[in-house]
């Protein structure tokens, strides 16, 4: 087990001292102090925000449920210590949860029926990140769906596409997306139909329909390579 080491010990100590003395010594409750220390550990990077609850729990020698509660309550209490623009936050969350490993891990927590209906299982363990991801889903008129595990949200590919559109992640040129689809799945019927059209008059709705159809098929068939490629088109900042 790797010991916890602060990346900026002086910064951690100064912020801790400032906040514990801000309203007078002993003004913070024991719970406030626990939450403060935890949030400062994540802000420092000594504990990565992307770490699973189990991994963080192992290092802190507590239960995963305890870490989940610390994350949930800590950011509710001390959010001002970790300022982050909503756009940057969503991009960070999407980049971390739509990786192949995370999707593969989440897939076991969603039914085959949901997969066939085009639902992608996305595991989001950090409660604060989960709340922001859920809000992004709600903002585009969809609803987060849960089945076997509350840390795994089932979301349709077309919902992810709407999120990418709303936040400006998607390439705005329909022809450019059609070209990317042609590279990814040249034999697909949806791509063939697109290429039959005059590319100079290609409408975004036509490209959207092709993306949605290919995405649903990739999820239903568990074709990880194809799904990864489609997600990279929708969210170009996804690593890998």
């Amino acid at each position: 087990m790797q010991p916890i080491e602060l990346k900026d010990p002086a910064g951690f100590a100064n912020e801790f001292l400032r906040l514990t003395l801000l309203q007078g010594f002993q003004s913070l409750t024991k719970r406030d102090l626990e939450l403060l220390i935890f949030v400062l550990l994540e802000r420092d990077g000594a504990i990565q925000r992307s770490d699973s609850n189990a991994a963080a729990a192992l290092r802190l020698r507590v239960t995963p449920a305890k870490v989940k509660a610390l994350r949930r309550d800590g950011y509710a209490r001390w959010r001002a210590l970790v300022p982050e623009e909503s756009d940057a936050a969503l991009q960070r969350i999407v980049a971390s949860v739509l990786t192949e490993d995370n999707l593969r891990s989440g897939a076991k927590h969603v039914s085959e029926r949901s997969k066939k209906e085009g639902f992608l299982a996305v595991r989001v363990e950090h409660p604060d990140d989960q709340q922001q991801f859920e809000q992004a889903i709600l903002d585009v008129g969809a609803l987060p769906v849960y089945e076997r595990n509350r840390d795994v949200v089932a979301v349709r590919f077309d919902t992810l596409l709407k999120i990418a559109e709303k936040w400006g992640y998607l390439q705005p040129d329909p022809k450019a997306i059609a070209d990317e689809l042609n590279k990814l799945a040249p034999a697909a019927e949806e791509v063939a139909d697109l290429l039959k059209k005059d590319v100079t008059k290609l409408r975004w709705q036509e490209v959207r329909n092709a993306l949605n159809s290919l995405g649903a098929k990739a999820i239903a068939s568990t074709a990880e390579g194809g799904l990864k490629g489609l997600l990279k088109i929708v969210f170009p900042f996804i690593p890998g």
Side-chain angles (χ1 to χ4, degrees):
M1 180 177 62
Q2 185 180 3
I4 294 176
E5 294 184 6
L6 293 173
K7 300 182 185 301
D8 180 15
F12 183 98
N14 288 337
E15 190 71 345
F16 180 78
L17 187 62
R18 180 183 74 84
L19 291 166
T20 52
L21 297 178
L22 187 62
Q23 296 178 349
F25 188 66
Q26 290 188 316
S27 59
L28 296 178
T29 66
K30 177 177 179 293
R31 182 60 173 170
D32 283 335
L33 289 171
E34 288 178 346
L35 298 176
L36 173 60
I37 291 170
F38 183 83
V39 171
L40 288 177
L41 283 172
E42 281 207 341
R43 190 180 81 161
D44 174 81
I47 293 176
Q48 294 293 328
R49 186 162 177 153
S50 58
D51 286 347
S52 69
N53 292 331
L58 186 63
R59 300 182 68 194
L60 291 170
R61 294 191 291 178
V62 296
T63 65
K66 177 74 170 178
V67 170
K68 187 173 184 178
L70 286 168
R71 283 175 157 166
R72 182 191 64 235
D73 298 343
Y75 283 84
R77 176 67 174 85
W78 298 105
R79 177 174 297 283
L81 299 180
V82 194
E84 189 176 28
E85 293 292 333
S86 56
D87 178 55
L90 183 59
Q91 186 166 323
R92 172 184 57 75
I93 294 166
V94 168
S96 65
V97 302
L98 293 185
T99 61
E100 283 185 278
D101 288 344
N102 197 58
L103 292 175
R104 192 179 300 115
S105 175
K108 67 186 72 170
H109 299 289
V110 68
S111 67
E112 289 299 321
R113 178 180 177 181
S114 292
K115 292 178 188 176
K116 290 178 180 177
E117 291 176 352
F119 282 94
L120 185 65
V122 181
R123 186 183 65 172
V124 192
E125 284 203 12
H126 198 298
D128 189 61
D129 289 351
Q130 187 180 71
Q131 181 180 340
Q132 294 186 68
F133 188 60
E134 288 174 351
Q135 189 58 51
I137 293 172
L138 292 169
D139 286 345
V140 296
L143 290 173
V145 177
Y146 297 95
E147 289 191 0
R148 305 169 185 170
N149 187 326
R150 288 293 299 180
D151 290 336
V152 178
V153 57
V155 56
R156 290 177 59 89
F157 188 87
D158 60 350
T159 299
L160 293 175
L161 186 54
K162 289 177 183 176
I163 290 173
E165 285 184 82
K166 177 179 173 61
W167 292 90
Y169 301 143
L170 197 60
Q171 161 66 255
D173 181 7
K175 180 182 180 302
I177 294 181
D179 290 341
E180 290 297 319
L181 289 175
N182 189 33
K183 294 176 187 176
L184 180 66
E189 180 182 343
E190 293 85 351
V191 176
D193 288 342
L194 279 181
L195 297 179
K196 290 177 184 176
K197 303 178 185 297
D198 184 346
V199 292
T200 62
K201 298 179 180 178
L202 199 60
R203 295 180 301 161
W204 169 239
Q205 185 61 44
E206 294 168 330
V207 175
R208 172 209 282 273
N209 291 341
L211 271 170
N212 279 334
S213 179
L214 288 168
K217 286 181 179 179
I219 293 170
S221 66
T222 65
E224 292 181 3
L227 179 59
K228 177 184 176 182
L230 288 169
L231 288 173
K232 282 284 288 182
I233 292 175
V234 178
F235 301 103
F237 51 81
I238 293 177

